[in-house]
Amino acid sequence: MKRSCLTLILLFMVIVSGANTSITDSTIPEQIKEYHFDTDSAINEYLSVLTAEEKEKSDRYFEGGYWLILIEFLVVLIIAWVFLSLGLSKWIKRIVFKFKNVNVRNLFYTIFYFLFAYLLSFPLNIYVSFFREHRYGLSNMNFGEWLTEDLIGLVLLLIAGSLLIMALYIAIRKVQKNWWIWGSGVLTLFLILTIFIAPVFISPLFNEYKPLEEGKIKDEILSMARANGVPAKNVYQFDASKQSNRISANVSGIGSTIRISLNDNLLNQCSLEEIKAVMAHELGHYVLNHIYEMIIYFSIIIFIGFAFINWVFKKAIAKYGKKWKIDGLSDIGGLPLFILLFSFYFFIATPVTNNIIRSNEVEADYFGLNTAQEPDGFASVAMKLSTYRKINPGKFEEFIFFDHPSGKSRVTVAMQWKSEHLE
Ligand SMILES: [Zn+2]
């Protein structure tokens, strides 16, 4: 686990270096100065909206998230240890091997794996998504509501996850040597299918979606949508306030299920200028085909990940296969190791995945500014989002840990846009 130690040190350095950064990257074109708009002081004015206390709180919440990436990986490691070294895997295998059909065995082994993994990670899960969220005032759910949603998630995982893994093991048995090429194809297809059905079958399990309420807000949003070729029937609102006070909107689905959804917190807590700025950003994701771009990027990441698993798994089995009673890749008893390697790969790839997502977010930001022409709306929303996203991180810290631009980056871009479009 030398690499984990290294990551820890890296994390620590980033957190320390993030503490003292200042605004430097602003160049004001000469003609702008004639309009008496000082970009730097406009940026500072926005950044000072957050009180020192609020900033400290949001920094603490966000930086805690860096450690959680590591801790969540360590929990997967503990789960693999319980299964392989403590013998839970052997015990489950004895039960599922009463079935004759190999696919049925694999299906039941996987269901057992997910159930035990859920139980073993429950203390961390309850801390991260219930107690921690309440401590920072970010959740509106009582324990019963939280647990209900969490169990719905578990049922979805049991159904979809075990079918996916059964299909993966079919690929492993049928093509053997090149299983990882076919396996990454299976996972990518599964990803596409999940994105396709999510807005229709998964999201409605947690929230009620309906067409936008009539009024000025709807007219303005749909006018921007029409100007960019997005059909009006693809814009929805949903009741996220039952879960939290966070403002958000998103683009989901593919092809016939693609849609933009904005939540009721955005509608209730924000001005028309702010809502327009957010929705123009979401239109950017839609118009720039970011979902399709993501699928391509992530299929490549999965492909490399499976090649990595194929390489390490064989080495690990050659050394510990007898001790762990794993015969080879096609043995379902190797699933805890398979998932551990997959988690390790994604843990190490965190900066890569964050950069892919963030680069699309930056594109959508520019699209949004140009479309809504509401730099102040955009800057003030960026400040509202900064109640739970560190406002002013170091450059390196933002590069590694941020999947969206920081508040400071967004306010800077918005004010520079404003300074160059003042009339
Ligand atoms: Zn976005």
Side-chain angles (χ1 to χ4, degrees), residues 203-214:
S203 305
L205 295 174
F206 300 96
N207 290 96
E208 191 195 337
Y209 286 75
K210 57 184 185 188
L212 277 176
E213 272 161 25
E214 294 299 328

Side-chain angles (χ1 to χ4, degrees), residues 119-182:
L119 290 177
L120 288 166
S121 58
F122 194 71
L124 179 68
N125 180 21
I126 196 173
Y127 165 71
V128 172
S129 59
F130 185 75
F131 289 115
R132 187 167 184 265
E133 291 297 294
H134 274 278
R135 199 172 82 205
Y136 285 94
L138 293 169
S139 175
N140 289 341
M141 285 189 285
N142 64 35
F143 186 73
E145 289 163 342
W146 173 82
L147 188 65
T148 307
E149 287 203 353
D150 209 53
L151 289 174
I152 294 172
L154 174 66
V155 171
L156 287 175
L157 176 72
L158 289 176
I159 298 168
S162 45
L163 286 173
L164 165 70
I165 285 173
M166 191 183 79
L168 263 181
Y169 274 84
I170 292 174
I172 292 174
R173 282 199 312 279
K174 297 277 181 223
V175 274
Q176 294 183 2
K177 195 164 163 256
N178 292 325
W179 74 270
W180 57 280
I181 300 172
W182 290 87

Side-chain angles (χ1 to χ4, degrees), residues 249 281-282 285 290 360-361 364-365 404 410:
H281 166 102
E282 298 305 329
H285 285 309
H290 281 166
N360 273 359
E361 291 302 328
D365 281 356
H404 279 66
R410 282 180 150 167

Side-chain angles (χ1 to χ4, degrees), residues 252-314:
S252 57
I254 323 176
S256 59
T257 67
I258 193 164
R259 60 176 66 173
I260 296 175
S261 311
L262 69 154
N263 76 16
D264 55 350
N265 292 326
L266 181 66
L267 288 166
N268 299 332
Q269 296 173 24
C270 294
S271 67
L272 180 62
E273 291 74 26
E274 291 170 329
I275 296 171
K276 276 182 74 181
V278 173
M279 292 312 282
H281 166 102
E282 298 305 329
L283 285 168
H285 285 309
Y286 188 118
V287 173
L288 300 170
N289 290 316
H290 281 166
I291 288 188
Y292 302 99
E293 207 177 286
M294 283 295 168
I295 290 170
I296 293 168
Y297 278 128
F298 275 85
S299 66
I300 295 167
I301 290 171
I302 290 167
F303 183 78
I304 299 168
F306 272 35
F308 165 78
I309 294 173
N310 185 47
W311 176 57
V312 182
F313 196 101
K314 283 176 182 162

